[in-house]
Amino acid sequence: THKMKVPCVCLEHGKTDPNPRMKYKIVPIEQVNNDPKIAQLCALMASGKVPQNTAQAAAWHLANGLSWQELLVKNRMESKYTGNIRFFNPMELQNAFQLSTILVREYEKYQAEEPESTGYVAPVSVEVENETAESPTADSDAVDTKSL
């Protein structure tokens, strides 16, 4: 047995949250999700080009169809004593929206040029803005999702 920290994203929204006591099995990504945009997203995160929380928002949007509004109001923690803590801050969602748009656009461009090919690897270069802003709480002002 070997322990190691690996940046990961959930590709199946709604499943039980993982924890360190669970046993994991490493499998090719295609066994979990065969969308090449998701594979590219994970590669960008693994190479350090995309922060984990940005990748998570984009993954849930692309792989599970969560809307940007659903992601905006998703709580990481809910407490009647300390208030709710959002899963994503507005900057993370804005970056995830931009990243998702780029991945979809590049994939569609590739499909138009190479409709018979199965070996898609997007030539995506990504620069993500600083995401150190705190996640808004339930008491924060609403964010205009039209800008996301």
Side-chain angles (χ1 to χ4, degrees), residues 8-141:
C8 298
V9 293
C10 170
L11 298 178
E12 299 174 299
H13 183 267
K15 279 198 164 183
T16 305
D17 287 343
N19 66 65
R21 290 183 278 268
M22 296 174 84
K23 290 186 179 187
Y24 296 91
K25 179 180 176 186
I26 298 173
V27 298
I29 193 167
E30 293 81 14
Q31 287 185 15
V32 179
N33 185 299
N34 62 2
D35 184 342
K37 297 181 293 295
I38 297 298
Q40 182 64 23
L41 171 65
C42 291
L44 290 167
M45 182 190 65
S47 67
K49 294 179 180 175
V50 175
Q52 189 276 337
N53 237 29
T54 294
Q56 184 61 76
W60 278 338
H61 175 72
L62 293 170
N64 304 121
L66 271 70
S67 71
W68 298 111
Q69 180 64 35
E70 288 172 309
L71 293 167
L72 178 69
V73 299
K74 184 167 182 56
N75 290 326
R76 182 181 299 271
M77 186 178 79
E78 297 180 5
S79 171
K80 65 181 180 179
Y81 303 108
T82 60
N84 297 339
I85 297 175
R86 297 282 188 221
F87 215 102
F88 306 105
N89 69 47
M91 182 63 72
E92 290 167 337
L93 288 175
Q94 183 176 16
N95 288 335
F97 173 80
Q98 292 172 344
L99 176 59
S100 298
T101 301
I102 291 168
L103 290 169
V104 169
R105 184 177 344 128
E106 290 297 321
Y107 181 70
E108 288 172 350
K109 180 179 169 185
Y110 174 81
Q111 287 292 89
E113 295 170 1
E114 307 281 339
E116 300 300 318
S117 178
T118 59
Y120 172 72
V121 177
V124 176
S125 175
V126 176
E127 289 185 28
V128 176
E129 294 181 34
N130 184 358
E131 297 184 353
T132 57
E134 288 185 25
S135 295
T137 63
D139 297 330
S140 298
D141 292 333

Side-chain angles (χ1 to χ4, degrees), residues 94 97 143-148:
Q94 183 176 16
F97 173 80
V143 176
D144 179 12
T145 58
K146 291 179 184 171
S147 65
L148 296 178

